[in-house]
Amino acid sequence: MSTNAREPIGVIGTGYVGLVTAAGFAELGSDVYCIDIDEAKIDGLRQGQIPIWEPGLAELVEKHRGRLHFSTDLADALEHARLLFVAVGTPPTYSGDADLSAVHAVVDAMPASDRHALVMKSTVPCGTGEAIKRAFREQGKEGFRYVSCPEFLKEGSAVKDFLEPDRVVIGDDGDWAGDAVAELYSPLDTAVVRTDIKSAEMVKLASNAFLATKISFINEIANVCEETGADVVEVARGMGLDDRIGPKFLQAGIGFGGSCFPKDVSALKQLAGNSGYHFQLLNAVIEVNELQKRRVIGKLEKHLGTLVGKRVALLGLAFKPNTDDMREATSLVLSARLTAAGAQVSAYDPIAEDEARRLMPGLAFADDALGAVRDADAVVLVTEWDEFKALDLSAVRDAMAGQVLIDGRNALDPEAVRGAGLVYEGIGRE
Ligand SMILES: NC(=O)c1ccc[n+]([C@@H]2O[C@H](COP(=O)([O-])OP(=O)(O)OC[C@H]3O[C@@H](n4cnc5c(N)ncnc54)[C@H](O)[C@@H]3O)[C@@H](O)[C@H]2O)c1
């Protein structure tokens, strides 16, 4: 991979996407001027503290300390870079639309310039680029260029995804800025989709909505498997070998969470609705996902009867393995439902505990999996961290008061679980 000096860039927002993008472009040879409004985060980054847990990120940031510059002052990026990548959050509003206030704060903070371009990495509704260009014109900043360059990295493998992407999508107006972004990505061996801004914005929303649809689809198949006696793991294996379907995102479970799928699906649904189109399929995708998280309660009641006073252990709290991200995690819904049903909930997560403690103060947190399952009537595997796949199941059974193990991610071998004297219940399989 080329590490020759390349065009310096700015990155605004140093969260999961911004910091990975910054470290990734530093790896490709750029000096990167990273800006965030969070002073504590910037102070920490200057001292080498990485605010998120993401495999390989700390090493990459350390490797390129000389190229990575951290500041709360936008002027530092504007002085050194003409391309300013925007990676601020776009969380959902109560209406389900994306909250673009952080994006607009960045737009409003830009000076009039013929030399700079905003490169949008944040996930924004289709039409945002047009609105931003209009705002630039109204603010007398028509010289400012705009590029849509949506990000597809996955938390848990974000560094790898940045350096080995399936594709890079660049939507632009055919001016210097789009070419400059394409040049930045040129060391990567990947397909580059050059297109217009609206289509680039839509590629991102449609991709996430499609993946979420695939998950809700296999979850509904799993629910039918439970009624018919088929095994969804076998069904998915048979389906996934079809080249037109593919094996990915066909793992049945207790629903998707995270900072992207729920909000992006909802944002696309609202975007369609605001334009007068009722996106019926996405309504079902969202509803199936919400119901799927709650089906665990029914499974527990099947084995334990009332949950009042019952001890239930949750293994894994992060929204997926290899991240500390708790945003929209299934564990949040599950723990709230269990507590409301009168259960006493203990929990363990290898990495996400600090954030989980903040979000779920009523839970009893343990230092390890065996600590969490001690005296439990039932255990629910919520997040399929590797360490749970390697659990000593006999030790789990000995530590528990009851025997029920709900495998919310179909991550364990049912026969091994039963062999250890536990009662196994997966999702869509016996
Ligand atoms: N997390 C993912 O896996 C992922 C993947 C693809 C796309 N995205 C999209 O990327 C965007 C960022 O997501 P994230 O998970 O990195 O968010 P994040 O919350 O981890 O990080 C956002 C950062 O922006 C900073 N910020 C907010 N307003 C700012 C401002 N005005 N100026 C400078 N900094 C500001 C915040 O302090 C924070 O550090 C979102 O639109 C998200 O949908 C996220």
Side-chain angles (χ1 to χ4, degrees):
M1 202 164 285
S2 163
T3 51
N4 296 332
R6 296 175 60 78
E7 168 156 13
I9 60 162
V11 173
I12 305 171
T14 57
Y16 286 87
V17 168
L19 197 54
V20 171
T21 300
F25 278 125
E27 171 77 359
L28 299 186
S30 289
D31 266 60
V32 185
Y33 294 82
C34 307
I35 310 296
D36 205 291
I37 47 171
D38 185 336
E39 289 187 15
K41 198 179 262 191
I42 291 296
D43 279 350
L45 282 163
R46 282 186 178 139
Q47 290 161 37
Q49 293 159 10
I50 309 300
I52 51 173
W53 194 87
E54 187 60 47
L57 182 59
E59 293 82 349
L60 204 60
V61 171
E62 181 57 32
K63 179 177 171 191
H64 295 300
R65 281 193 82 144
R67 285 183 189 158
L68 291 166
H69 314 273
F70 298 102
S71 172
T72 53
D73 188 355
L74 204 52
D76 288 340
L78 287 162
E79 181 191 339
H80 293 99
R82 51 180 193 154
L83 296 175
L84 303 162
F85 286 76
V86 181
V88 299
T90 50
T93 58
Y94 286 117
S95 65
D97 293 284
D99 176 356
L100 296 179
S101 55
V103 168
H104 287 305
V106 171
V107 170
D108 294 346
M110 292 298 143
S113 169
D114 292 329
R115 192 176 76 86
H116 291 97
L118 277 190
V119 186
M120 191 55 66
K121 281 246 150 255
S122 298
T123 304
V124 294
C126 183
T128 302
E130 195 163 278
I132 289 176
K133 288 193 291 177
R134 193 166 54 241
F136 277 151
R137 282 196 298 277
E138 286 166 7
Q139 296 170 4
K141 307 173 190 169
E142 41 280 289
F144 227 101
R145 299 288 121 213
Y146 185 86
V147 179
S148 167
C149 183
E151 184 52 60
F152 300 94
L153 61 75
K154 303 178 286 298
E155 289 177 22
S157 58
V159 170
K160 181 174 180 296
D161 293 342
F162 180 90
L163 294 170
E164 298 167 32
D166 290 340
R167 79 304 209 184
V168 169
V169 175
I170 301 172
D172 65 282
D173 286 327
D175 50 47
W176 65 267
D179 291 343
V181 173
E183 172 57 24
L184 273 178
Y185 278 104
S186 63
L188 301 181
D189 180 19
T190 190
V192 177
V193 179
R194 297 288 301 266
T195 184
D196 61 281
I197 292 170
K198 282 186 181 173
S199 300
E201 291 169 339
M202 195 55 115
V203 170
K204 173 66 190 174
L205 295 175
S207 297
N208 274 2
F210 184 77
L211 293 172
T213 302
K214 223 174 158 186
I215 297 173
S216 278
F217 180 83
I218 198 67
N219 282 341
E220 288 222 279
I221 294 293
N223 298 343
V224 178
C225 284
E226 287 179 7
E227 299 301 323
T228 56
D231 180 335
V232 75
V233 176
E234 294 298 300
V235 174
R237 188 160 67 97
M239 286 172 65
L241 287 168
D242 186 324
D243 205 30
R244 298 166 301 177
I245 299 173
K248 293 183 178 163
F249 282 74
L250 283 185
Q251 284 76 37
I254 50 178
F256 59 78
S259 65
C260 289
F261 283 2
K263 86 169 170 64
D264 292 349
V265 173
S266 163
L268 179 53
K269 183 190 125 177
Q270 293 305 334
L271 175 72
N274 296 342
S275 338
Y277 180 72
H278 179 63
F279 204 143
Q280 201 159 339
L281 183 59
L282 290 187
N283 281 325
V285 169
I286 294 166
E287 192 181 351
V288 167
N289 195 51
E290 286 312 308
L291 293 174
Q292 197 68 11
K293 297 177 193 173
R294 290 162 170 79
R295 280 177 71 88
V296 175
I297 304 294
K299 287 176 186 287
L300 286 169
E301 284 172 342
K302 184 174 103 187
H303 294 282
L304 303 179
T306 174
L307 297 182
V308 175
K310 299 286 164 43
R311 293 168 179 265
V312 179
L314 304 183
L315 293 184
L317 299 168
F319 88 88
K320 67 174 182 177
N322 296 320
T323 181
D324 59 353
D325 200 341
M326 286 291 303
R327 287 178 284 187
E328 301 283 333
T330 296
S331 62
L332 293 166
V333 173
L334 203 49
S335 65
R337 286 295 313 125
L338 285 169
T339 308
Q344 293 170 31
V345 185
S346 58
Y348 165 69
D349 188 280
I351 296 292
E353 183 181 331
D354 288 350
E355 183 64 356
R357 275 184 187 276
R358 196 178 67 75
L359 295 168
M360 298 183 274
L363 266 57
F365 289 91
D367 292 336
D368 55 25
L370 282 184
V373 306
R374 186 150 296 119
D375 298 329
D377 297 298
V379 174
V380 184
L381 194 153
V382 182
T383 313
E384 66 278 33
W385 288 90
D386 278 346
E387 73 171 74
F388 300 145
K389 296 179 192 165
L391 271 179
D392 178 346
L393 294 166
S394 301
V396 169
R397 183 210 52 220
D398 291 347
M400 289 175 65
Q403 282 115 33
V404 177
L405 191 151
I406 311 284
D407 181 1
R409 301 295 175 186
N410 288 346
L412 305 176
D413 173 4
E415 290 318 311
V417 176
R418 290 193 185 102
L422 290 159
V423 175
Y424 179 88
E425 171 127 11
I427 307 297
R429 65 172 171 173
E430 303 203 324

